[in-house]
Structures are given as structure tokens and as C-alpha cells.
Amino acid sequence: MEPLFKQLQELRRHAEALVKIEACSESKEEPLGPGDHSIEDLQQGSCSHCGAVPWLESARRNAGRWEDRPLVVLSLFDGIGGVWASLCNLGIPFIGYSCEIYPQAIEVTKRRYGSVSHLGDVRKLKRTDIKETVVDLVVGGFPCQDLSCLGRRDGLHGTRSRLFFEMLRVMQVFSPTWFLAENVASMSWVDRDEITRHLGITPLEIDSACLTPCRRQRIYWSNIPYPRTCPRVKESEGTSIQSVLDPKVEVALATKNTCVLTKNITEIGRHSMEQVFNLQENKIRYLDVTEVELMMGYPPQYTNLDFEGYAAKSRTRLKTRCRLLGNTFSVPVISYLLSPLLNRIIRERTRCYYLPKSIRQQDCSIMTSGEIWAMYNCEQRPNWYAKIVSRSGGRFDVSECHWEPGMKRGLHRPLHIEVIFLQLTKPYELGEPDLWNTIRGTGLFVLTDKVEDQSTWVAFSHRVTTVVEHDQGCYFIYPGKAEVWSIYDCGTEARYLVYVAESTVDKEKAVKGAPGKEGFSARCRLLQRKTQPDLYTLLDKEVVYDDLGVFSFRAPYHFLNERDTLKIELATKDRERGAKGDGPSRKRSRGSDTSDYEELLDTELEDTGGDSDI
């Protein structure tokens, strides 16, 4: 692979063009941006801002000439226009609309992409603001301040991150063909699951270090099919810090750059930037902001503008540039995620998505009354089931929380989740050696008669969606499509994981409670464990199961880097993150019975705190 430093000379020549753009602005001439290029320019890849890398060039070459109309694209929380840079990388012509309120970000986008229309605050966006009858793509990296491990952890319903619900509103208003949503990977599982529930799409986690010299872990939700494989360029010279340096003069003292964190801008370059050794002067320096622009997929000096009011304050302008880069996309990653749109067959065969009945923030919440949730038992198998009666306090209802005088912001009321546990019916209990830690996680369940209180959300695994509810308070739970389940082989006492490709059940027979007569069948794909913990590869080998009893528990998952690699949660260790203050215990009782297991059920869950990085 050709390293990026060989492309650097060409990019630096384009920097001279940017100087000319500055001169144009002083003379009141309207500068050109990639959005002003002709369709022919984009098809030929002549846009000066592309800086395409070999895997991207190969994707464009394989797709052939773009012959469709330009895409109508709406970018929410647009920042400095990472979406437009990505579309130019792909050679996809577009008619662009931007929603952004940060003045300096708007100034950068206007200067670099003159044809993009600016619509202001997303909360004021109306259907009449876009004249085209069809919006092809909506992209939004909604605010992360309440979700990031470096923020207040107020959650999706916090004062900033609740703008996600504005994205839902926009999708309801414009009914785009495709969408792409993005946020930090360090969010808690509660927030990730709630976003997944509202969008109806299993997310994909990507660290931009897989494609670029910059580390940046993010989660994406999109109805554009995820690429099946990620380009194997993570360890290549072209995706290292060294690729943006002159190897004859300077040596990078790290292979990848850490995240550009907006919280570190007070000491610019000394916390979030890696070191470079100058061989001629025998001196150490830190990476500068222009080199960070290159590593994130932008041309040099992309954010170097004389922002209004900052002309004489070079240090303030430097801080502003870092803040802009800290809040933007990694262009190669967005190019990778949008690259399937180059394929005409994919463009014509769109995946559907289903928004919730109500998209109002006050109507959307996780663990609402009446939902069935799986909980981890003492053996770390999430096949205890409970019906949510009510919940209050904690981070779940932060929008309803009132802070008292003297309380620190982000300190919530104690969490209380009232539940009623479900219990296997007698026919399905047969063969279970221990009803406190059942092996099977499917069959017909009935509600117990006692309401119990949970003071932590760590023990909750996932919302049960493949369930048939009967009029008499019975619930039939079975494996559903696109779920991952653990299979228990009683002969070898071994477990393995499968991905459910298709499943069928006769719902009328299911609620009659006769094991083996539910009309059940599931076509599943085998999963192969990788060397990294909790990572599995989705194999093409399929197995058909007609016995419902072999399914032990469902394991939550999301994709990692590509759609054939699954990151699976098999225990509570990944759920403890961010649990501080929600209480350490998880309990389940069985009516008025006493048990030797009660002491085990009051399990102390060690708080591991938040991620060290985003």
C-alpha cells in the first residue's frame, strides 16, 4: 500500500490553493469548494480534497462511473463538513443541506463547500426548508457530552445528548432512504440499547485506527448494509503517524495518535498529541494541528481560517481548530461506511427501518412499564426474566430529576426498578437440575405473585422482543431472527454460540405449554471464537434446530469493524461500566421461600469506572 507521505506532497500543493481561497475571500469573491465541482470532476476523482487511499480508490474503480442523479443529503450536527469530504472521497455527487449552530464550524463548511445550504438549528428544521421531494440520506453525529465516559454521564436523556430525539423527528418528517447515526463507543450499554431500540438497527463499532493514524472509537447505526470486511490496513505504514511526516527529517515516536479531546485544548498539543523527533535538530516536538487534519482525512490547513474576532489571537484560533477537529468525523471511516452506496444494486435494494410510534423524548425511555427483560443469574446466564412494573431515580429518568440546592450536577436520586419475575411452567421445568440457575432460556413462563425491587441496572441484560403474551399472564419466549443464542449440549455439557438467521413458531400451539409441540424451527449460523476476548466470526456453516430446549440464553451483541465480526456480551463485566451510584446488589427471591442461595444472590459487583479514552 502506498504510504500517505507520498500523497502528502500533493496535498501540500493543494494548501497553496487554500491560500488563494483566503485571498478570494478578502476580495469578496465566492470561493469554490468540493461541493461546487461538476459531476464529471467527482466521477473522475479530481476533487482536490479527496486524498483517496488505495482501498477507497479500488472501491470507486470497482463501482464504475456514477450515472445516477446527485444524492440529496441532510447532515445534522454537521460540524466542519466531514460528510461532504467523505462523499467527495467516494466520487458521489450531492445536493447538500447542513444543520449546525457553532459559528466557527459553519464558517469552515461555507468556505470549503460553497454549494451546501445551511439551515441552522436542527430543532427548527421543517419539511419546507428542503425543496427536493426526496431526501436520500440523513447523517447525524448527535452530541456526546451526556454519553461519553469523559462527560457527566447523564445519559441519552441529558440536556445535550437528548438532541438524538431531534434526529428521530427529522427522520420522521423527511423519511430518508438511508440514515447514518454516530456517537461515542464509551457510552453505557443502557444508552446503546435505547438508541438501538429506537432505530431498530444493530450498531457497528469502529476504531478509526483501523483505517487511519488516529485512534477514535465510535458506534454507528445505519440501514446502509455494513461492509462485510474491513480493509486490512491497520498495521500498514500508510495508516501510521509516520505517514504524514517526512521520513528523512522526522520520526514519529508512536504508531497511532490518541483521540483529539476537546477537554485538553487548554494545554494544546501536550495531552492529546503524540511526539515527533526531529533528526536534524535532535529535538522533540508535538504533532501540530495541521498534521492531525491530515490524519483525520482532511487536507492541510482545512480549519486554518481567520475566524471572525480571532484574527489577532493565534493561540485562540489554534484552540478553536482543535475543538473543531475534536467534534468532527474521521473522514476515511465515514467514507468506508458510505461506500456500499457506490453499488447500484445496494442503492436499489434498500433496507427498511422502523421508528417508534412516538419520537418525543418524554415518551421514549428504556425499561418502561410492561416490558419483559432478561437478567443475569448467579452463573452469568441471562435467562432469568422479569416484567417491569415501574422504575424511578437513577439515570433512567434524568429528564424528570430535580436537583436540590447544594447537590452536584449529575448526582441522581437512588435507582429503584420494581419487577415481577417470571417462572417456567411445570412441563418446561422438567429436567432442569436447578430452578435458581436454569439451563434453558426458552419456553412458557408465568408471572410470580411478588413485586421485587432492584437497585442496580447492571444485572439486566436485554429487552425480550421475541415473546408471545397469552391472556392468562403467560409468556412464551423463543429465539428470534438476528439474535445470538448459546446452545447447550446436554450430552457433552458443552455450550457454543449461534446466530439465528430465521426462526418460526406456531404461536397458538406455543401458549398451550406442551414442550416439543410448539411448531418451532430455527436456521442458525455457527459462530467461531477469535483470539480476542468476546469476539466471534460469523461463519457460513448453518445448522437447523427443531428442539427449543437446547437454547440456553440470548447474548447481546453488536458488530465490530465489519458485519461478519460480532462483539458479544457474555457476562456482567461489560455492564458494570458507569454503574457507580446505582447500588451494588442484584436480588431475586422465590416468594416466601428461604434458600441457601440468598447469600450468593447479593453479589457485590465491582465498579470498574469509565473508559480511559473515547
Side-chain angles (χ1 to χ4, degrees):
M1 173 178 177
E2 183 183 5
L4 287 179
F5 70 78
K6 291 185 179 180
Q7 302 175 23
L8 187 57
Q9 292 182 345
E10 181 182 352
L11 288 173
R12 293 200 181 280
R13 286 198 297 270
H14 295 315
E16 299 177 0
L18 293 178
V19 174
K20 294 180 180 179
I21 290 177
E22 300 290 337
C24 289
S25 65
E26 293 177 0
S27 63
K28 307 302 180 183
E29 295 178 12
E30 190 67 21
L32 291 176
D36 297 305
H37 285 222
S38 68
I39 294 178
E40 289 73 22
D41 287 339
L42 290 172
Q43 290 167 343
Q44 297 168 10
S46 59
C47 171
S48 65
H49 287 206
C50 287
V53 291
W55 63 264
L56 190 53
E57 292 173 346
S58 176
R60 291 172 55 169
R61 184 169 57 252
N62 293 338
R65 184 181 179 87
W66 181 279
E67 296 180 348
D68 289 351
R69 60 173 176 79
L71 298 184
V72 179
V73 182
L74 171 58
S75 177
L76 311 178
F77 324 105
D78 186 40
I80 58 175
V83 173
W84 317 123
S86 301
L87 289 168
C88 283
N89 272 357
L90 294 167
I92 297 178
F94 59 85
I95 299 171
Y97 293 90
S98 167
C99 284
E100 176 59 56
I101 61 172
Y102 189 50
Q104 285 74 37
I106 296 173
E107 192 170 346
V108 170
T109 306
K110 283 184 175 180
R111 197 70 64 87
R112 306 308 183 208
Y113 301 94
S115 68
V116 171
S117 301
H118 293 262
L119 306 179
D121 193 336
V122 64
R123 293 170 293 187
K124 299 178 182 178
L125 185 63
K126 306 183 300 297
R127 184 62 185 90
T128 54
D129 292 332
I130 294 180
K131 61 182 180 180
E132 285 77 14
T133 57
V134 174
V135 172
D136 297 296
L137 173 65
V138 168
V139 180
F142 54 98
C144 67
Q145 287 85 349
D146 299 314
L147 302 175
S148 169
C149 65
L150 299 177
R152 293 194 304 262
R153 285 288 197 179
D154 284 344
L156 191 63
H157 294 267
T159 55
R160 298 289 298 275
S161 296
R162 69 173 63 172
L163 285 174
F164 164 75
F165 296 98
E166 288 296 326
M167 184 173 182
L168 290 184
R169 181 187 68 83
V170 169
M171 290 173 63
Q172 185 185 67
V173 169
F174 290 93
S175 298
T177 306
W178 306 291
F179 74 87
L180 173 63
E182 176 262 12
N183 216 284
V184 292
S186 65
M187 69 174 66
S188 74
W189 71 270
V190 178
D191 294 312
R192 188 190 67 214
D193 279 17
E194 183 172 355
I195 296 169
T196 298
R197 172 186 175 181
H198 297 325
L199 293 175
I201 298 292
T202 302
L204 171 70
E205 179 183 342
I206 300 179
D207 186 345
S208 62
C210 292
L211 299 170
T212 77
C214 273
R215 192 180 154 204
R216 199 176 186 84
Q217 290 174 287
R218 294 292 185 268
I219 294 184
Y220 303 87
W221 291 261
S222 181
N223 66 330
I224 301 171
Y226 300 134
R228 181 163 187 174
T229 58
C230 186
R232 303 296 189 250
V233 296
K234 182 177 182 179
E235 304 301 329
S236 69
E237 187 179 10
T239 61
S240 67
I241 295 176
Q242 189 65 49
S243 65
V244 301
L245 305 175
D246 185 344
K248 297 179 180 179
V249 179
E250 293 180 313
V251 175
L253 300 186
T255 56
K256 301 284 184 178
N257 190 35
T258 52
C259 288
V260 182
L261 306 178
T262 55
K263 67 176 290 184
N264 292 333
I265 61 174
T266 54
E267 295 292 338
I268 196 70
R270 299 192 180 276
H271 294 298
S272 59
M273 306 298 178
E274 299 295 347
Q275 295 175 331
V276 175
F277 191 87
N278 188 296
L279 298 173
Q280 292 181 341
E281 301 178 2
N282 289 337
K283 289 184 178 179
I284 285 287
R285 70 171 178 86
Y286 291 95
L287 286 168
D288 62 38
V289 66
T290 301
E291 290 161 338
V292 173
E293 288 173 333
L294 286 169
M295 291 189 291
M296 294 185 67
Y298 293 99
Q301 307 299 328
Y302 181 82
T303 59
N304 189 18
L305 304 181
D306 286 329
F307 299 109
E308 185 177 354
Y310 290 94
K313 301 178 181 180
S314 60
R315 183 171 178 80
T316 303
R317 181 168 62 181
L318 195 60
K319 291 182 181 180
T320 300
R321 292 177 67 188
C322 259
R323 182 182 292 111
L324 292 171
L325 289 169
N327 288 327
T328 190
F329 290 136
S330 174
V331 173
V333 175
I334 301 302
S335 300
Y336 167 67
L337 291 172
L338 297 181
S339 63
L341 293 181
L342 291 171
N343 189 315
R344 177 185 289 273
I345 296 177
I346 289 178
R347 293 200 302 271
E348 294 175 351
R349 189 180 62 222
T350 308
R351 270 183 73 186
C352 297
Y353 59 92
Y354 303 96
L355 299 179
K357 293 180 180 179
S358 173
I359 49 83
R360 297 192 311 165
Q361 183 252 338
Q362 56 267 39
D363 295 337
C364 294
S365 182
I366 203 164
M367 286 191 177
T368 55
S369 176
E371 293 180 348
I372 304 296
W373 275 75
M375 297 180 66
Y376 290 95
N377 62 24
C378 295
E379 301 295 331
Q380 297 288 286
R381 292 192 296 265
N383 58 11
W384 279 355
Y385 301 112
K387 184 176 182 178
I388 306 296
V389 177
S390 67
R391 59 102 177 95
S392 61
R395 56 190 305 288
F396 287 130
D397 57 354
V398 65
S399 60
E400 303 168 9
C401 185
H402 300 284
W403 282 273
E404 299 176 1
M407 289 179 63
K408 292 184 179 180
R409 185 165 182 80
L411 181 63
H412 311 306
R413 297 171 298 190
L415 175 68
H416 294 287
I417 307 174
E418 291 187 326
V419 302
I420 300 178
F421 279 97
L422 277 62
Q423 183 173 330
L424 277 169
T425 54
K426 293 297 182 181
Y428 286 93
E429 282 185 355
L430 296 177
E432 290 295 313
D434 180 3
L435 296 183
W436 284 90
N437 289 288
T438 53
I439 292 175
R440 71 178 300 153
T442 58
L444 190 64
F445 294 77
V446 292
L447 288 173
T448 58
D449 56 1
K450 183 180 180 181
V451 177
E452 303 182 33
D453 182 75
Q454 301 292 315
S455 58
T456 175
W457 45 263
V458 174
F460 289 89
S461 173
H462 59 271
R463 185 171 65 99
V464 179
T465 55
T466 49
V467 55
V468 180
E469 183 175 358
H470 194 262
D471 295 336
Q472 299 174 354
C474 296
Y475 298 86
F476 181 80
I477 297 174
Y478 64 99
K481 182 179 179 180
E483 296 178 349
V484 168
W485 278 77
S486 171
I487 301 293
Y488 179 74
D489 188 319
C490 60
T492 60
E493 296 186 352
R495 288 185 175 85
Y496 57 96
L497 297 175
V498 297
Y499 174 90
V500 182
E502 295 286 347
S503 75
T504 58
V505 68
D506 189 320
K507 296 181 179 180
E508 293 185 0
K509 294 180 179 180
V511 295
K512 293 181 179 179
K517 299 181 180 180
E518 306 95 343
F520 169 78
S521 179
R523 179 171 57 85
C524 303
R525 293 172 65 180
L526 295 173
L527 292 175
Q528 184 181 73
R529 186 170 59 190
K530 305 183 76 170
T531 55
Q532 301 95 317
D534 302 334
L535 289 188
Y536 290 76
T537 298
L538 189 61
L539 302 178
D540 292 329
K541 303 297 183 181
E542 293 188 350
V543 182
V544 176
Y545 298 93
D546 297 320
D547 181 7
L548 191 68
V550 301
F551 289 86
S552 181
F553 60 87
R554 175 183 160 191
Y557 75 94
H558 60 273
F559 297 104
L560 183 68
N561 297 329
E562 55 198 24
R563 72 169 184 256
D564 279 353
T565 300
L566 279 59
K567 187 174 182 179
I568 297 176
E569 297 173 13
L570 294 174
T572 59
K573 61 183 179 65
D574 290 331
R575 301 303 178 98
E576 297 166 17
R577 192 174 299 160
K580 187 176 181 180
D582 280 341
S585 65
R586 58 179 180 190
K587 300 180 180 180
R588 176 181 178 180
S589 65
R590 291 176 61 84
S592 58
D593 295 341
T594 59
S595 172
D596 294 336
Y597 285 97
E598 289 182 358
E599 189 172 334
L600 288 174
L601 294 176
D602 292 329
T603 307
E604 289 292 325
L605 300 178
E606 179 185 358
D607 176 38
T608 59
D611 291 340
S612 61
D613 209 339
I614 59 172

